[in-house]
Amino acid sequence: MIIGIVAIARNYAIGKDGKLPWHYPADLKFFKQTTTGNAVVMGINTWASIGRPLPNRLNIVLSRTAELEPQPGVLLLRSKEAVLELAKYLKGDIFLIGGAKTYENFADSIDKWIVTEVPETVEDADVFMPRDFADGFEITDTTELEGGLIVKYFQKP
Ligand SMILES: NC(=O)c1ccc[n+]([C@@H]2O[C@H](COP(=O)([O-])OP(=O)(O)OC[C@H]3O[C@@H](n4cnc5c(N)ncnc54)[C@H](OP(=O)(O)O)[C@@H]3O)[C@@H](O)[C@H]2O)c1
């Protein structure tokens, strides 16, 4: 299963200056609990933003040209197709953890979305989700996190 997981502002902002435009410990905890034990796929910009391998997850980093120092738990792949091929051999789920370019490239292959709604409008953000990113999906569950965050689970009908 390929699952997109994203935290998104009221105006669809997800990033600013190469980072998250907010700090919500409850969402970071939720992200950790949800993704641990699985593979996470991220674009090279998101990799640079996180700055280290996420522990207890296979970290798959995507770039067509960049090189990375070999390190445990990190795999550099060159294409979406390479990720989909690898997915056949993985036991757990694949979580797409961003950013916008990576979500966009995988849009046709995403089975589920887990979306944290952040109760803010980030006017000066520089990375946004497209407003129609969850078109064709339906909400299957909703939960609340501390800090006024709402998590919505989306699945294809
Ligand atoms: N709110 C959230 O939940 C959330 C989650 C993640 C990230 N973010 C934020 O989003 C921003 C980064 O997003 P972004 O869109 O700029 O970058 P990104 O998706 O992290 O990285 C984009 C780069 O990844 C590589 N890539 C992506 N898809 C690929 C594919 N199919 N094949 C090969 N390479 C591929 C390319 O690298 P090359 O150009 O080297 O080929 C591309 O330029 C940051 O501000 C970050 O904090 C927010």
Side-chain angles (χ1 to χ4, degrees), residues 85-138:
E85 186 59 28
L86 176 69
K88 296 178 190 167
Y89 301 95
L90 295 177
K91 275 196 196 142
D93 288 315
I94 293 211
F95 284 89
L96 288 180
I97 66 164
K101 287 194 186 115
T102 303
Y103 297 131
E104 188 187 339
N105 285 334
F106 280 79
D108 295 345
S109 306
I110 295 176
D111 302 300
K112 281 186 181 183
W113 277 105
I114 302 176
V115 180
T116 300
E117 293 182 351
V118 175
E120 291 184 29
T121 299
V122 187
E123 297 294 359
D124 51 354
D126 51 22
V127 181
F128 295 82
M129 290 299 280
R131 290 187 179 252
D132 62 355
F133 78 96
D135 279 8
F137 288 77
E138 60 186 26

Side-chain angles (χ1 to χ4, degrees):
M1 184 98 67
I2 299 195
I3 304 168
I5 183 165
V6 65
I8 183 165
R10 289 199 175 110
N11 61 338
Y12 290 76
I14 67 162
K16 185 187 161 192
D17 300 331
K19 295 182 282 197
L20 294 179
W22 48 69
H23 182 67
Y24 285 94
D27 193 49
L28 298 177
K29 188 175 164 194
F30 171 76
F31 174 85
K32 183 177 173 186
Q33 281 170 347
T34 307
T35 58
T36 289
N38 296 286
V40 290
V41 174
M42 71 199 91
I44 191 86
N45 297 348
T46 295
W47 164 257
S49 158
I50 296 172
R52 67 186 169 97
L54 294 169
N56 305 314
R57 282 149 281 188
L58 171 61
N59 289 240
I60 301 172
V61 180
L62 273 171
S63 169
R64 291 174 190 87
T65 54
E67 297 296 341
L68 291 183
E69 284 295 311
Q71 51 191 309
V74 181
L75 185 60
L76 175 64
L77 294 180
R78 299 297 189 194
S79 69
K80 170 184 167 179
E81 290 66 35
V83 174
L84 298 181
E85 186 59 28
L86 176 69
K88 296 178 190 167
Y89 301 95
L90 295 177
K91 275 196 196 142
D93 288 315
I94 293 211
F95 284 89
L96 288 180
I97 66 164
K101 287 194 186 115
T102 303
Y103 297 131
E104 188 187 339
N105 285 334
F106 280 79
D108 295 345
S109 306
I110 295 176
D111 302 300
K112 281 186 181 183
W113 277 105
I114 302 176
V115 180
T116 300
E117 293 182 351
V118 175
E120 291 184 29
T121 299
V122 187
E123 297 294 359
D124 51 354
D126 51 22
V127 181
F128 295 82
M129 290 299 280
R131 290 187 179 252
D132 62 355
F133 78 96
D135 279 8
F137 288 77
E138 60 186 26
I139 297 174
T140 56
D141 200 9
T142 304
T143 55
E144 283 181 40
L145 302 179
E146 263 175 49
L149 303 173
I150 308 275
V151 179
K152 290 185 178 160
Y153 295 79
F154 293 81
Q155 198 165 301
K156 287 257 173 73

